Amino acid sequence: REDTMNKRLCQTMSTNVGSSSTNEEESEKVVIEQRLLKLDEVFVYKIPAMKTADGHRAEDWNLATPLATCSLIVNRRDDSLCINIMAERPKANAPPGATESYLFAQSIIQVKSDQSSHKLEHWVEPVVDSSRYFAMRIRDSRTGREAFIGIGFRERNDATNFRMTMEDYVAALKREEKAQVLHQQFEQSLEHQSAEGGDGEEQPLPSMSNLSLKEGEKIHINIKGNGGSKRVTPAASNKQTPKKGLVGLRKPPPPPPDVDAVAAKASSVENTVSNTQEKEEDEEEGDEWGDFEG
């Protein structure tokens, strides 16, 4: 009896441990939700069926009378993009004028690059005649039915932000998929290296190729030029190469003149000038007194 009781206790303990491990795995899964965009005003329209294969046209939606005026919130939840359209209604058991927001419509986008039916255009499609209106696929979570509604923005900047948010979401998914593929390749390369070097012996390095010449071998090099191959003699090379130390030097400036010689020359010039002036004065005086000579 004791043996049977011990076996039952071991079985119950193992089942409890297994259930606790599964519960821990479920509790360890963390769901990350990030808000990407919030717009205070968006117009919701009831749209007819698409008339042509070109796409939806906003001019067929009766834009003057929207179905509701709501707010729009875009959240990312794991790999999904949730577009929530929130409306307001009077709050029950509250003072007059008090309102509360509720979920008017929701579109959950799950883009997958390997499936053509999971492209972004499957859920949100811009109209062909305007840049401020979109046709969005919504789904009822209770019944699973899907339908298209039209959404539009008063400001063009709001429509641009909405479109850029969806494009950023798709680009982020592509980057994450690429990073995951690189991570898997890295792990596979590590496993492959560990499998090859599992014995613990170091792999020898590959030997370098010997590029030295053997005895008796020669290398012939043909150098082609404009005038054919010419053999340069040492004399010609000496003529062509300029002497060292004279390349790019200017001639030295002339020496400065002798100061004494310049002063002597200047004094001699002054003496000659003064002598010529005295002679001219003597001649003029002689001319003036020439008539009184006997």
Side-chain angles (χ1 to χ4, degrees):
R1 290 180 181 177
E2 291 179 357
D3 294 337
T4 55
M5 290 293 292
N6 291 330
K7 288 181 181 179
R8 289 178 181 178
L9 287 173
C10 292
Q11 290 177 358
T12 54
M13 288 175 66
S14 62
T15 54
N16 291 331
V17 170
S19 61
S20 63
S21 62
T22 53
N23 292 329
E24 288 178 357
E25 290 178 357
E26 291 178 356
S27 62
E28 287 178 357
K29 186 178 180 181
V30 178
V31 178
I32 300 175
E33 185 170 355
Q34 180 184 8
R35 175 169 293 184
L36 304 180
L37 181 66
K38 181 180 179 182
L39 299 174
D40 296 331
E41 186 182 46
V42 60
F43 302 109
V44 182
Y45 300 92
K46 184 179 179 180
I47 62 176
M50 193 166 50
K51 295 180 180 180
T52 61
D54 296 336
H56 294 274
R57 303 184 70 88
E59 61 182 7
D60 301 331
W61 294 358
N62 193 9
L63 300 178
T65 56
L67 182 64
T69 302
C70 307
S71 60
L72 183 139
I73 300 174
V74 181
N75 295 330
R76 180 178 175 180
R77 185 179 177 87
D78 283 346
D79 293 337
S80 302
L81 190 72
C82 301
I83 302 176
N84 299 325
I85 297 177
M86 309 297 295
E88 292 185 354
R89 62 187 174 187
K91 189 175 182 180
N93 301 325
T99 59
E100 62 179 357
S101 60
Y102 67 98
L103 184 62
F104 183 82
Q106 185 183 50
S107 177
I108 300 176
I109 302 173
Q110 294 179 345
V111 175
K112 295 181 181 179
S113 58
D114 55 347
Q115 298 181 11
S116 59
S117 61
H118 285 70
K119 299 293 184 181
L120 182 62
E121 293 77 10
H122 178 75
W123 287 277
V124 180
E125 184 179 355
V127 298
V128 297
D129 57 345
S130 178
S131 61
R132 295 186 291 114
Y133 297 91
F134 302 86
M136 187 173 68
R137 185 190 297 267
I138 60 174
R139 182 179 181 182
D140 190 352
S141 59
R142 293 174 297 178
T143 61
R145 296 179 59 185
E146 293 183 350
F148 273 102
I149 62 171
I151 60 173
F153 303 93
R154 186 188 303 273
E155 300 294 335
R156 199 175 301 276
N157 291 334
D158 294 342
T160 303
N161 293 333
F162 177 69
R163 185 174 64 252
M164 293 298 294
T165 301
M166 293 185 295
E167 292 177 358
D168 292 341
Y169 158 71
V170 176
L173 287 181
K174 291 181 180 179
R175 289 194 301 268
E176 292 172 2
E177 290 178 358
K178 187 176 180 180
Q180 187 176 3
V181 170
L182 293 175
H183 182 67
Q184 291 177 357
Q185 292 177 357
F186 178 71
E187 289 183 348
Q188 290 175 1
S189 63
L190 290 180
E191 292 177 358
H192 183 66
Q193 291 178 2
S194 62
E196 288 182 352
D199 298 336
E201 298 179 356
E202 295 182 356
Q203 298 292 332
L205 296 175
S207 59
M208 298 292 293
S209 59
N210 189 6
L211 302 179
S212 61
L213 295 177
K214 297 180 180 180
E215 186 178 357
E217 290 183 348
K218 295 181 180 179
I219 296 177
H220 299 278
I221 300 174
N222 296 326
I223 300 175
K224 295 182 181 181
N226 295 329
S229 61
K230 294 182 180 180
R231 187 175 181 181
V232 181
T233 58
S237 62
N238 293 332
K239 290 181 181 180
Q240 293 177 359
T241 56
K243 296 181 179 180
K244 295 182 179 179
L246 299 178
V247 179
L249 297 179
R250 297 181 180 178
K251 292 182 179 181
D258 191 2
V259 179
D260 297 336
V262 173
K265 189 174 181 180
S267 62
S268 63
V269 171
E270 290 178 356
N271 293 333
T272 54
V273 171
S274 61
N275 293 332
T276 52
Q277 289 178 355
E278 290 176 358
K279 287 181 181 180
E280 290 177 356
E281 290 176 357
D282 294 341
E283 289 178 357
E284 289 178 357
E285 290 177 357
D287 293 338
E288 290 177 358
W289 295 98
D291 296 337
F292 297 95
E293 292 180 357

